[in-house]
Amino acid sequence: MRAYRFTLDLQMFSQEKTEPATHKKRQEARQKGQVAKSAELPGAFILLFTFLSFMMLGGYYKERILTLFGFIFENRLNLQLSTGNIVTLFTDIMLQCFMLLAPIFAITLLLAFLGSYLQIGFLFTGEPIKPKLSKLNPINGFKQIFSMRSVVEFLKNIIKLVIIGVIVYMTLWNERHHIMQLASVPVETMFSYTAGLTVKLGLEIGALLVVLAIADYIYQRYEHEKSIRMSKQDIKDEFKKSEGDPLIKGKIRERQRRMALQRMMQEVPKADVVITNPTHFAIALQYDGSKMEAPTVIAKGMDFVALRIREIAKENGVITMENKPLARALYQLSEIGDTIPADLFQAVAEVLAHVYKLKGKTK
């Protein structure tokens, strides 16, 4: 009973998602549109930089506004209305409005692109907008409404509104004396003060929203990393899918070794001589002066493989010679199919000369 419980505990532990996601898991999540992204970060920077543009490009905005209203009240006030005049009037007004709002449009497009790129880079995927029947499940929708993420989003919005309200209240309260005196100042001074106060509030709120957006991005990264965590079993399964089952791969390698060994043993009868250690090493050499520049190793092995090479050589009448230093050197310095190293030419030539003498032929 204890062993059964221990096995269950191990299985439950292996299913706990405690491991960081692998690179493959991250790529799959990214292709599905599951990335760490704060939707508030671009908006916060757009608000902040828009109000900064009001402060830095105040002269440009002032000139555009005066041009727009001057165009209407000075040049077009007594216009005789007709179809052609109305089209021209609205075309001119739209052009003036576009020139007035062009910096804001440019800031919005640029920061929206940069805000997305800096968070997730280039990502084009239609996976999130694909229709799924699971999204129509009311039970899942109910769970999402009352999930921890929804609670966090609700609390975050409440905190944001409270902080912004406090900033606006404190700013207006500190300026209450100036606000009360606006009724007795010229219209130009009134507009100038109101514009300055609005820009000040916009900058303060924009800076606050940027700080909150950065904190939200950090939280989104934490939630994303938590959502893509993997269990130890998930990592094992992924490794099996990508690399293949280790047991199957081991069997394949073992079969490949057996086939290579079998092919090597088929070459032993073609050898001119087998040099042995005598028991630990065996190297089969072949030399054909009309085809080869130097003797070639066609088979080699140690221990059991060496024993098998000697047996096949004996069965096929291949001469076996014992030379411990040469056998060890050939085994360490040469591979199957390679010619012997130049340093061993002299020693191998002497062995082959002896072999050819025994066979009663010369090469």
Side-chain angles (χ1 to χ4, degrees), residues 106-118:
I107 290 173
T108 301
L109 292 175
L110 179 62
L111 291 181
F113 173 77
L114 287 178
S116 178
Y117 175 76
L118 293 177

Side-chain angles (χ1 to χ4, degrees), residues 316-363:
N316 292 272
V318 178
I319 297 177
T320 301
M321 295 190 63
E322 179 181 338
N323 189 326
K324 296 180 180 180
L326 182 58
R328 183 179 295 274
L330 286 171
Y331 186 85
Q332 294 177 349
L333 300 178
S334 60
E335 297 295 333
I336 298 174
D338 296 343
T339 58
I340 63 173
D343 296 341
L344 302 179
F345 279 180
Q346 182 65 32
V348 172
E350 294 176 357
V351 170
L352 290 176
H354 182 68
V355 169
Y356 296 146
K357 185 178 179 180
L358 293 178
K359 290 183 177 181
K361 59 181 180 179
T362 60
K363 283 197 177 181

Side-chain angles (χ1 to χ4, degrees), residues 261-293:
L261 181 62
Q262 184 177 1
R263 288 194 299 269
M264 184 181 70
M265 293 303 177
Q266 292 174 353
E267 297 294 322
V268 174
K270 303 177 184 178
D272 292 309
V273 64
V274 174
I275 301 175
T276 64
N277 194 25
T279 56
H280 294 294
F281 300 101
I283 297 90
L285 300 179
Q286 183 186 25
Y287 179 63
D288 186 347
S290 61
K291 300 178 181 180
M292 303 177 183
E293 296 181 355

Side-chain angles (χ1 to χ4, degrees), residues 15 43 60 93 97 108 119 123 135 224 242 244 252 271 300 304:
Q15 294 298 327
Y60 173 82
I93 292 175
C97 289
T108 301
Q119 291 185 82
L123 177 60
K135 295 181 179 180
H224 176 67
S242 59
I252 293 174
K300 73 171 188 175
F304 173 77

Side-chain angles (χ1 to χ4, degrees), residues 126-264:
E127 189 68 25
I129 61 175
K130 285 184 178 180
K132 295 181 180 180
L133 295 178
S134 60
K135 295 181 179 180
L136 302 177
N137 190 339
I139 298 178
N140 292 337
F142 185 80
K143 290 180 179 179
Q144 291 179 359
I145 293 175
F146 295 95
S147 64
M148 182 58 66
R149 177 180 289 271
S150 300
V151 173
V152 171
E153 291 294 327
F154 175 76
L155 293 177
K156 182 178 64 177
N157 292 330
I158 293 297
I159 293 173
K160 187 193 308 181
L161 290 176
V162 170
I163 295 177
I164 292 175
V166 170
I167 290 178
V168 173
Y169 173 78
M170 292 180 62
T171 302
L172 295 179
W173 180 257
N174 292 333
E175 298 290 334
R176 65 186 183 278
H177 297 296
H178 295 89
I179 295 174
M180 297 299 293
Q181 296 175 0
L182 291 179
S184 59
V185 299
V187 176
E188 184 177 355
T189 304
M190 182 189 302
F191 277 113
S192 177
Y193 174 78
T194 304
L197 183 60
T198 303
V199 171
K200 178 182 177 182
L201 280 173
L203 291 176
E204 292 177 353
I205 295 174
L208 172 66
L209 292 180
V210 167
V211 174
L212 294 178
I214 292 174
D216 179 64
Y217 174 68
I218 296 174
Y219 170 75
Q220 296 296 337
R221 284 187 63 88
Y222 167 76
E223 283 293 317
H224 176 67
E225 291 294 328
K226 184 179 178 181
S227 66
I228 61 174
R229 283 179 186 171
M230 304 175 68
S231 64
K232 296 182 182 296
Q233 187 61 41
D234 292 336
I235 296 177
K236 291 180 180 178
D237 294 340
E238 181 184 293
F239 178 79
K240 288 181 179 179
K241 290 180 181 179
S242 59
E243 300 293 336
D245 194 328
L247 295 177
I248 297 177
K249 291 183 68 176
K251 292 180 179 179
I252 293 174
R253 287 194 296 267
E254 179 62 27
R255 184 172 182 179
Q256 290 174 342
R257 284 194 294 267
R258 288 200 304 267
M259 294 176 64
L261 181 62
Q262 184 177 1
R263 288 194 299 269
M264 184 181 70

Side-chain angles (χ1 to χ4, degrees), residues 71-101:
F71 172 78
I72 296 175
F73 292 105
E74 293 179 5
N75 302 327
R76 301 292 183 175
L77 192 61
N78 297 323
L79 180 68
Q80 296 294 327
L81 297 180
S82 65
T83 304
N85 291 338
I86 290 296
V87 173
T88 303
L89 175 63
F90 275 99
T91 302
D92 293 338
I93 292 175
M94 292 299 296
L95 178 61
Q96 294 295 330
C97 289
F98 175 78
M99 295 179 65
L100 174 64
L101 300 176

